[in-house]
Amino acid sequence: MAGPRPVVMSGPSGAGKSTLLKKLLKEFDGAFGFSVSHTTRSPRPGEENGKDYHFVSRDVMQTSVANGEFIESAEFSGNMYGTSKAAVQAVQAQNLICILDIDMQGVKNIKKTDLNPIYVSVQAPSMDILEKRLRDRKTESEESLQKRLHAAKVDVEISKEPGLFDVVIINDDLEAAYGKLKEVLLKEIQLVRDANKSS
Ligand code: ADP
Ligand code: 5GP
């Protein structure tokens, strides 16, 4: 039997994807599993290797990509990011809803695979608010911040493409955005819960 459909979460850096995902994983413990991506960027304070990302060198990542170990990979803001086949398989083997937090290039590349996820775009209410959130997060250098804002402008435009996303969530009020996210995923959550009850 096919497992639950994965979920792709995309949207500009700073839009609130991680914040929403943390809430979801906490409330529905046992329904979702996070696909742990690889990246060549440095860990932020509080980030754990193997949990938030697999933090690797560019050499290691390039070799793994060349070996065909990745479903998709992309260059974002001066670093490599990618979803390994193993990361998705680890979640799907447990019959959990696999969540991928990936950028727009990742979305376009996943569309070429047979993963068949639900595509969710998370957007900030405006570019000014996005910039403020990114600055207040205090995780980026000025250079990284500018690269992210530039990528965000492209992201906002592309995310309007009809049919690209199943839903675009404007993350203004956090609780309202979270409510919308849960609504979109309710059917898959119920399927996983029913499967767990009968097993
Ligand atoms: P992303 O994972 O998309 O890069 P984050 O989840 O890290 O974004 O959110 C960026 C910053 O904005 C964080 O400091 C977070 O606490 C804050 N944030 C997220 N959602 C909201 C919201 N609805 N209102 C105000 N601040 C928010
Ligand atoms: P951050 O450095 O803020 O954690 O992530 C920067 C961007 O990279 C975000 O838009 C995030 O969604 C994206 N990202 C994280 N992991 C992956 C991945 O495995 N593949 C792709 N294509 N993008 C990713």
Side-chain angles (χ1 to χ4, degrees):
M1 194 189 84
R5 282 179 80 190
V7 177
V8 160
M9 291 274 283
S10 197
S13 173
K17 301 179 295 296
S18 312
T19 306
L20 288 165
L21 286 180
K22 284 202 179 96
K23 282 172 80 70
L24 195 69
L25 293 169
K26 196 172 163 205
E27 180 173 349
F28 299 100
D29 187 32
F32 293 95
F34 186 58
S35 158
V36 182
S37 293
H38 283 60
T39 183
T40 62
R41 83 153 162 75
S42 308
R44 294 175 186 142
E47 282 185 332
E48 281 178 47
N49 191 27
K51 184 166 172 262
D52 298 283
Y53 280 106
H54 298 289
F55 295 99
V56 291
S57 68
R58 189 169 277 267
D59 272 1
V60 166
M61 181 117 185
Q62 277 171 339
T63 305
S64 308
V65 171
N67 285 342
E69 292 169 27
F70 280 73
I71 299 174
E72 62 79 33
S73 67
E75 187 83 25
F76 180 89
S77 187
N79 285 296
M80 284 178 80
Y81 293 81
T83 309
S84 70
K85 292 174 183 169
V88 172
Q89 278 161 7
V91 177
Q92 291 192 322
Q94 300 173 72
N95 248 315
L96 299 175
I97 303 167
C98 181
I99 299 193
L100 287 78
D101 175 346
I102 56 176
D103 83 328
M104 192 59 86
Q105 302 163 78
V107 170
K108 298 248 168 167
N109 285 327
I110 290 291
K111 292 246 165 183
K112 296 176 199 156
T113 72
D114 59 5
L115 200 68
N116 188 32
I118 298 168
Y119 291 93
V120 179
S121 169
V122 179
Q123 297 288 337
S126 71
M127 205 48 92
D128 284 351
I129 293 176
L130 182 76
E131 179 167 352
K132 184 175 183 321
R133 284 186 189 166
L134 265 181
R135 285 192 185 282
D136 289 351
R137 195 171 71 183
K138 294 187 166 62
T139 53
E140 309 307 316
S141 64
E142 186 59 30
E143 188 196 355
S144 167
L145 197 123
Q146 291 305 332
K147 281 187 186 163
R148 281 161 193 263
L149 290 176
H150 175 76
K153 285 187 187 123
V154 178
D155 190 297
V156 169
E157 283 316 305
I158 299 181
S159 66
K160 290 176 189 158
E161 215 174 273
L164 188 58
F165 289 97
D166 294 299
V167 63
V168 177
I169 297 176
I170 309 294
N171 179 20
D172 188 352
D173 174 73
L174 183 61
E175 289 310 319
Y178 181 57
K180 184 93 187 277
L181 179 64
K182 281 202 286 190
E183 201 182 296
V184 173
L185 304 181
L186 215 58
K187 191 175 140 209
E188 294 306 315
I189 295 171
Q190 205 52 56
L191 281 174
V192 172
R193 286 187 160 174
D194 290 348
N196 286 346
K197 254 186 247 153
S198 59
S199 66

